[in-house]
Amino acid sequence: MTALSFQKLEEAYNLVYENTKELLVDSRLLLENERYARSYALAQMAHEELAKLPIIYQEATRSYFKETHDWKSFYKRLRNHGAKNKQNFVFYQTMLNAVGNNSMNLEYEKIKDNLAFVNHMKNISLYADIKNDKFTKPSNEINEKLAVAQLELAEEMFKTYSLSGFHIKGGIKKSLDNEDARKNRTLLKEAGLIK
């Protein structure tokens, strides 16, 4: 696996952020032109692309503080759709819990079902398939309401990630180049949460 420098990781973060933005713009254009299935698909892809941001940030942090990397794990996490969807689920649950809404506190089996449903809906938005012993196509299955809900969810998540400023050139370095960040890394190491 190719090791990436801090600068390459910061560049990767910016490119993923920009690609997400482009996917959301394209999804919005498709929605406005009543192409709901493809709008849904691009919104879901943007959603999965957003999940790469914390993965890249974590590796950039390791690079910045000269910590060890597991590049094989990094690349696997970056490309695993299920893992990214699970990460998004945890993100939403954390955000909802932070504002006192425990509506997503689900048991493990329900989380697995939810993640399978997310993948199923992405497939429905892209591929013709058999449903109830008949062939169907995405435009028959994904309606405006589903497309709007998926796009708005991804757009809100994008806005949340935008608040960090990490996508601005030098933003990740700025977040790490201070005494508080060093202290936090030391505390995480002492607690055994990072190597």
Side-chain angles (χ1 to χ4, degrees), residues 93-105:
Q93 184 167 333
T94 302
M95 296 305 287
L96 287 171
N97 289 349
V99 296
N101 180 341
N102 297 323
S103 63
M104 282 183 60
N105 283 341

Side-chain angles (χ1 to χ4, degrees), residues 3-21:
L4 300 172
S5 66
F6 176 82
Q7 291 75 20
K8 291 285 186 190
L9 288 162
E10 194 168 38
E11 180 183 336
Y13 190 100
N14 294 338
L15 290 172
V16 169
Y17 180 89
E18 290 169 11
N19 189 49
T20 303
K21 186 175 185 177

Side-chain angles (χ1 to χ4, degrees), residues 57 61 65 67 166 174-195:
Y57 181 84
T61 301
F65 289 112
E67 298 168 358
F166 298 158
K174 184 178 177 183
S175 76
L176 300 172
D177 196 18
N178 61 71
E179 193 55 37
D180 285 342
R182 289 183 205 350
K183 286 179 185 175
N184 288 338
R185 287 312 271 185
T186 300
L187 289 172
L188 290 170
K189 284 181 185 177
E190 289 172 358
L193 297 173
I194 58 172
K195 295 178 183 179

Side-chain angles (χ1 to χ4, degrees), residues 39-133:
S39 173
Y40 183 99
L42 288 183
Q44 175 58 32
M45 289 174 189
H47 202 228
E48 291 175 11
E49 194 76 347
L50 280 168
K52 292 179 180 178
L53 296 177
I55 296 167
I56 295 168
Y57 181 84
Q58 179 182 20
E59 286 310 313
T61 301
R62 284 188 176 120
S63 286
Y64 186 82
F65 289 112
K66 312 245 183 300
E67 298 168 358
T68 60
H69 296 272
D70 180 348
W71 292 111
K72 184 177 179 181
S73 175
F74 168 75
Y75 284 106
K76 183 177 180 182
R77 289 178 62 215
L78 211 55
R79 294 184 175 120
N80 184 310
H81 299 290
K84 289 184 287 188
N85 285 325
K86 188 184 298 184
Q87 183 173 307
N88 285 336
F89 185 85
V90 170
F91 174 85
Y92 289 126
Q93 184 167 333
T94 302
M95 296 305 287
L96 287 171
N97 289 349
V99 296
N101 180 341
N102 297 323
S103 63
M104 282 183 60
N105 283 341
L106 303 175
E107 299 162 11
Y108 179 72
E109 287 303 314
K110 288 183 182 176
I111 292 171
K112 276 181 34 182
D113 290 347
N114 182 286
L115 295 173
F117 179 74
V118 167
N119 190 58
H120 175 70
M121 289 302 294
K122 180 173 72 173
N123 288 338
I124 284 175
S125 71
L126 290 169
Y127 306 110
D129 201 358
I130 297 174
K131 180 180 177 184
N132 300 326
D133 297 324

Side-chain angles (χ1 to χ4, degrees), residues 117-184:
F117 179 74
V118 167
N119 190 58
H120 175 70
M121 289 302 294
K122 180 173 72 173
N123 288 338
I124 284 175
S125 71
L126 290 169
Y127 306 110
D129 201 358
I130 297 174
K131 180 180 177 184
N132 300 326
D133 297 324
K134 291 182 182 178
F135 261 94
T136 186
K137 62 182 182 171
S139 59
N140 291 341
E141 300 301 317
I142 303 292
N143 61 30
E144 180 180 11
K145 184 177 176 181
L146 287 170
V148 167
Q150 186 65 18
L151 179 55
E152 287 178 352
L153 185 66
E155 287 174 334
E156 285 304 311
M157 189 174 184
F158 183 76
K159 288 177 190 174
T160 302
Y161 277 110
S162 297
L163 295 173
S164 70
F166 298 158
H167 61 285
I168 299 167
K169 188 173 174 91
I172 295 176
K173 184 176 184 193
K174 184 178 177 183
S175 76
L176 300 172
D177 196 18
N178 61 71
E179 193 55 37
D180 285 342
R182 289 183 205 350
K183 286 179 185 175
N184 288 338

